Amino acid sequence: MSTVIEQALQARLVASAPRMDVVPVVLRYDPADPFAVRMVFPAAATLEGVEAVWEFSRDLLAAGAEEPAGVGDVRIRPFGHDRTVVEFHAVEGVAVVHLRTGEIRRFLRRTRHVVPSGCEHLFLDLDQDLALLLRDAH
């Protein structure tokens, strides 16, 4: 049984207008997928009106809280003294959110308590993953 870590936080969604809307998001970490974190946006905060989940590297989140990181669909960088900017790039456009850096660091500390950095491979179930791949191949 794995201990899933969830942390609710307020994200400031940067719109094209000069205002920022505050939306609740949840950062989620599951030791069964030890390299990844997920950021969950509620249906009310998405264009399609359905919950949106972005999955990206825990290391990317940690690096981006300290200095610009990411070159793909998810890019993260510090913004001022206490904010971190997360950019989500998709075919439909780019979504930009501001998060409190302290909340990101607290979430990362909690995840590292369950799965220390550098030990992620110890939490992989390669036999199960291989069985799933082989089952899906048929």
Side-chain angles (χ1 to χ4, degrees):
M1 182 166 135
S2 76
T3 303
V4 175
I5 296 171
E6 291 189 342
Q7 182 170 322
L9 43 121
Q10 298 293 312
R12 294 197 175 271
L13 183 61
V14 179
S16 57
R19 73 183 209 300
M20 285 193 236
D21 293 326
V22 176
V23 297
V25 298
V26 174
L27 281 174
R28 182 176 295 147
Y29 180 76
D30 185 347
D33 190 3
F35 290 100
V37 295
R38 288 161 188 80
M39 188 176 295
V40 182
F41 292 85
T46 68
L47 295 174
E48 296 82 19
V50 296
E51 180 180 89
V53 180
W54 281 82
E55 182 176 325
F56 50 95
S57 162
R58 178 173 71 161
D59 287 346
L60 175 63
L61 183 60
E66 303 303 324
E67 62 185 16
V71 293
D73 293 342
V74 179
R75 301 171 192 176
I76 305 173
R77 69 181 184 282
F79 184 77
H81 164 119
D82 65 344
R83 298 274 178 192
T84 298
V85 174
V86 182
E87 296 179 6
F88 299 100
H89 295 253
V91 174
E92 300 82 9
V94 177
V96 179
V97 297
H98 288 202
L99 304 168
R100 286 196 165 97
T101 305
E103 291 179 349
I104 291 172
R105 288 184 179 134
R106 183 166 53 103
F107 172 76
L108 289 168
R109 275 193 306 273
R110 292 175 62 208
T111 69
R112 290 181 187 128
H113 180 73
V114 175
V115 178
S117 293
C119 295
E120 293 89 352
H121 66 285
L122 299 173
F123 290 80
L124 294 174
D125 187 344
L126 296 178
D127 291 333
Q128 178 184 355
D129 293 342
L130 183 58
L132 287 172
L133 282 173
L134 293 174
R135 184 193 73 201
D136 292 342
H138 291 99

